[in-house]
Amino acid sequence: MKVLKLLPNFLTILRVVLSLFLLFLLLNTRTYFSFLTPFHINMISSLVFLFAALTDLLDGYIARSYKAKSRFGEIFDPLADKILILSAFLGLVYLDRVNAWVPFVILGREFFISGLRVLAANEKKDIPVNALGKYKTVSQVVAIGALLANLTYSYALVAIAVFLTLYSGIDYTIKYYKS
């Protein structure tokens, strides 16, 4: 049982390590990974990203199911999520697969809402995570996974992710001011 209590924190740390590996892979494809074809780099980077994103789902499930929530997880889990998204977007901008304004909007919203959550906590306001936030996260993961795989329809998925990101940010902000 003790292992299950530590597993969510381990998965959070693993997500950060995978994020760094993903960024290293994307920035160094020509230098250290020249023996791989572009197709293989695309598939490996997409799978690394999706696996890292899966660790977020898994650590949350384990923490809730086995009452293994910790202060470390409360602080570092959302931070690890942002590091993963940032790593993927830095690599995608470097590879010229996405315009820089997309990660700016998405990450700008994430940091703005993180600040709003800190304010809400300091003011003893409870603004629970809702389904819209979950849809936003899933849309971002799917869009980034598609961009990393270099799929043809990935820009449509990016448009959906940007829309849901902004919409959920506005929704959260309105709920903060109404509470």
Short mmCIF file of all heavy atoms in Angstrom, two decimals, residues 34-58:
data_model
loop_
_atom_site.label_atom_id
_atom_site.label_comp_id
_atom_site.label_asym_id
_atom_site.label_seq_id
_atom_site.Cartn_x
_atom_site.Cartn_y
_atom_site.Cartn_z
N SER A 34 20.00 11.09 -36.33
CA SER A 34 20.00 11.13 -37.80
C SER A 34 19.80 9.75 -38.43
O SER A 34 19.45 9.65 -39.60
CB SER A 34 21.29 11.76 -38.32
OG SER A 34 22.40 11.03 -37.87
N PHE A 35 20.01 8.70 -37.66
CA PHE A 35 19.80 7.35 -38.17
C PHE A 35 18.33 6.99 -38.28
O PHE A 35 17.97 5.99 -38.91
CB PHE A 35 20.53 6.32 -37.28
CG PHE A 35 20.08 6.34 -35.85
CD1 PHE A 35 19.07 5.50 -35.41
CD2 PHE A 35 20.67 7.21 -34.93
CE1 PHE A 35 18.65 5.52 -34.09
CE2 PHE A 35 20.26 7.24 -33.61
CZ PHE A 35 19.24 6.39 -33.19
N LEU A 36 17.46 7.81 -37.70
CA LEU A 36 16.01 7.58 -37.78
C LEU A 36 15.42 8.40 -38.91
O LEU A 36 15.85 9.52 -39.17
CB LEU A 36 15.33 7.97 -36.46
CG LEU A 36 15.68 7.12 -35.24
CD1 LEU A 36 15.10 7.74 -33.98
CD2 LEU A 36 15.18 5.69 -35.41
N THR A 37 14.40 7.86 -39.55
CA THR A 37 13.70 8.59 -40.61
C THR A 37 12.78 9.63 -39.96
O THR A 37 12.41 9.48 -38.77
CB THR A 37 12.86 7.65 -41.48
OG1 THR A 37 11.79 7.12 -40.67
CG2 THR A 37 13.69 6.52 -42.06
N PRO A 38 12.38 10.66 -40.70
CA PRO A 38 11.42 11.63 -40.14
C PRO A 38 10.14 10.95 -39.64
O PRO A 38 9.60 11.35 -38.60
CB PRO A 38 11.15 12.56 -41.31
CG PRO A 38 12.39 12.51 -42.12
CD PRO A 38 12.87 11.08 -42.00
N PHE A 39 9.67 9.95 -40.35
CA PHE A 39 8.47 9.22 -39.92
C PHE A 39 8.68 8.62 -38.53
O PHE A 39 7.82 8.73 -37.65
CB PHE A 39 8.11 8.12 -40.92
CG PHE A 39 7.00 7.23 -40.44
CD1 PHE A 39 5.67 7.64 -40.56
CD2 PHE A 39 7.27 6.00 -39.86
CE1 PHE A 39 4.64 6.82 -40.11
CE2 PHE A 39 6.24 5.18 -39.41
CZ PHE A 39 4.92 5.59 -39.53
N HIS A 40 9.84 7.99 -38.33
CA HIS A 40 10.11 7.37 -37.03
C HIS A 40 10.25 8.41 -35.92
O HIS A 40 9.75 8.20 -34.81
CB HIS A 40 11.37 6.49 -37.13
CG HIS A 40 11.15 5.25 -37.92
ND1 HIS A 40 11.66 5.09 -39.18
CD2 HIS A 40 10.43 4.14 -37.65
CE1 HIS A 40 11.29 3.92 -39.65
NE2 HIS A 40 10.54 3.32 -38.75
N ILE A 41 10.90 9.51 -36.21
CA ILE A 41 11.00 10.59 -35.22
C ILE A 41 9.61 11.09 -34.86
O ILE A 41 9.30 11.31 -33.68
CB ILE A 41 11.87 11.76 -35.76
CG1 ILE A 41 13.33 11.33 -35.87
CG2 ILE A 41 11.72 13.01 -34.89
CD1 ILE A 41 14.04 11.17 -34.55
N ASN A 42 8.75 11.28 -35.86
CA ASN A 42 7.38 11.74 -35.62
C ASN A 42 6.63 10.78 -34.73
O ASN A 42 5.95 11.19 -33.77
CB ASN A 42 6.63 11.93 -36.94
CG ASN A 42 7.17 13.06 -37.77
OD1 ASN A 42 7.89 13.93 -37.29
ND2 ASN A 42 6.85 13.04 -39.05
N MET A 43 6.72 9.49 -35.04
CA MET A 43 5.98 8.50 -34.26
C MET A 43 6.54 8.37 -32.85
O MET A 43 5.77 8.31 -31.88
CB MET A 43 6.01 7.13 -34.96
CG MET A 43 5.21 7.07 -36.25
SD MET A 43 3.49 7.59 -36.06
CE MET A 43 3.48 9.12 -36.95
N ILE A 44 7.85 8.36 -32.71
CA ILE A 44 8.46 8.25 -31.37
C ILE A 44 8.10 9.46 -30.53
O ILE A 44 7.68 9.32 -29.37
CB ILE A 44 9.99 8.08 -31.48
CG1 ILE A 44 10.32 6.71 -32.08
CG2 ILE A 44 10.65 8.24 -30.11
CD1 ILE A 44 11.78 6.55 -32.50
N SER A 45 8.22 10.66 -31.09
CA SER A 45 7.91 11.87 -30.31
C SER A 45 6.43 11.91 -29.93
O SER A 45 6.09 12.28 -28.80
CB SER A 45 8.33 13.13 -31.05
OG SER A 45 7.64 13.26 -32.26
N SER A 46 5.57 11.51 -30.83
CA SER A 46 4.15 11.48 -30.52
C SER A 46 3.84 10.47 -29.42
O SER A 46 3.09 10.76 -28.49
CB SER A 46 3.34 11.16 -31.79
OG SER A 46 1.96 11.23 -31.52
N LEU A 47 4.45 9.29 -29.51
CA LEU A 47 4.21 8.26 -28.49
C LEU A 47 4.79 8.67 -27.13
O LEU A 47 4.16 8.42 -26.10
CB LEU A 47 4.79 6.92 -28.94
CG LEU A 47 4.03 6.24 -30.08
CD1 LEU A 47 4.79 5.01 -30.57
CD2 LEU A 47 2.62 5.87 -29.65
N VAL A 48 5.96 9.29 -27.11
CA VAL A 48 6.54 9.76 -25.84
C VAL A 48 5.60 10.79 -25.22
O VAL A 48 5.30 10.73 -24.02
CB VAL A 48 7.96 10.36 -26.06
CG1 VAL A 48 8.43 11.13 -24.83
CG2 VAL A 48 8.94 9.26 -26.42
N PHE A 49 5.12 11.72 -26.04
CA PHE A 49 4.20 12.75 -25.53
C PHE A 49 2.91 12.12 -24.99
O PHE A 49 2.46 12.45 -23.89
CB PHE A 49 3.87 13.77 -26.61
CG PHE A 49 2.83 14.76 -26.18
CD1 PHE A 49 3.17 15.81 -25.35
CD2 PHE A 49 1.50 14.60 -26.57
CE1 PHE A 49 2.20 16.70 -24.92
CE2 PHE A 49 0.54 15.49 -26.14
CZ PHE A 49 0.88 16.54 -25.31
N LEU A 50 2.32 11.23 -25.77
CA LEU A 50 1.05 10.62 -25.35
C LEU A 50 1.23 9.76 -24.10
O LEU A 50 0.37 9.76 -23.21
CB LEU A 50 0.44 9.83 -26.49
CG LEU A 50 -0.03 10.68 -27.67
CD1 LEU A 50 -0.47 9.80 -28.84
CD2 LEU A 50 -1.15 11.63 -27.27
N PHE A 51 2.35 9.06 -24.00
CA PHE A 51 2.62 8.28 -22.79
C PHE A 51 2.78 9.20 -21.59
O PHE A 51 2.25 8.93 -20.51
CB PHE A 51 3.87 7.40 -22.97
CG PHE A 51 4.20 6.61 -21.74
CD1 PHE A 51 3.43 5.52 -21.38
CD2 PHE A 51 5.27 6.97 -20.93
CE1 PHE A 51 3.72 4.79 -20.22
CE2 PHE A 51 5.57 6.25 -19.78
CZ PHE A 51 4.79 5.15 -19.43
N ALA A 52 3.50 10.31 -21.76
CA ALA A 52 3.67 11.27 -20.67
C ALA A 52 2.32 11.84 -20.25
O ALA A 52 2.04 12.00 -19.06
CB ALA A 52 4.63 12.39 -21.10
N ALA A 53 1.47 12.15 -21.23
CA ALA A 53 0.13 12.67 -20.92
C ALA A 53 -0.69 11.61 -20.17
O ALA A 53 -1.47 11.94 -19.28
CB ALA A 53 -0.58 13.10 -22.20
N LEU A 54 -0.50 10.36 -20.53
CA LEU A 54 -1.21 9.27 -19.86
C LEU A 54 -0.79 9.17 -18.39
O LEU A 54 -1.62 8.83 -17.54
CB LEU A 54 -0.95 7.96 -20.59
CG LEU A 54 -1.67 6.73 -20.09
CD1 LEU A 54 -3.18 6.90 -20.26
CD2 LEU A 54 -1.20 5.50 -20.85
N THR A 55 0.46 9.49 -18.08
CA THR A 55 0.89 9.45 -16.67
C THR A 55 0.11 10.46 -15.83
O THR A 55 -0.11 10.22 -14.65
CB THR A 55 2.41 9.71 -16.51
OG1 THR A 55 2.72 11.05 -16.90
CG2 THR A 55 3.24 8.70 -17.28
N ASP A 56 -0.32 11.56 -16.44
CA ASP A 56 -1.13 12.54 -15.72
C ASP A 56 -2.47 11.94 -15.34
O ASP A 56 -2.93 12.06 -14.20
CB ASP A 56 -1.31 13.79 -16.57
CG ASP A 56 -2.11 14.86 -15.84
OD1 ASP A 56 -1.96 14.98 -14.61
OD2 ASP A 56 -2.87 15.58 -16.50
N LEU A 57 -3.09 11.29 -16.29
CA LEU A 57 -4.38 10.63 -16.03
C LEU A 57 -4.22 9.56 -14.96
O LEU A 57 -5.02 9.47 -14.02
CB LEU A 57 -4.90 10.02 -17.34
CG LEU A 57 -6.25 9.34 -17.31
CD1 LEU A 57 -7.35 10.36 -17.09
CD2 LEU A 57 -6.48 8.60 -18.61
N LEU A 58 -3.17 8.77 -15.08
CA LEU A 58 -2.94 7.66 -14.16
C LEU A 58 -2.62 8.14 -12.76
O LEU A 58 -3.15 7.61 -11.78
CB LEU A 58 -1.81 6.78 -14.71
CG LEU A 58 -1.58 5.45 -14.04
CD1 LEU A 58 -2.85 4.60 -14.08
CD2 LEU A 58 -0.44 4.71 -14.73
#
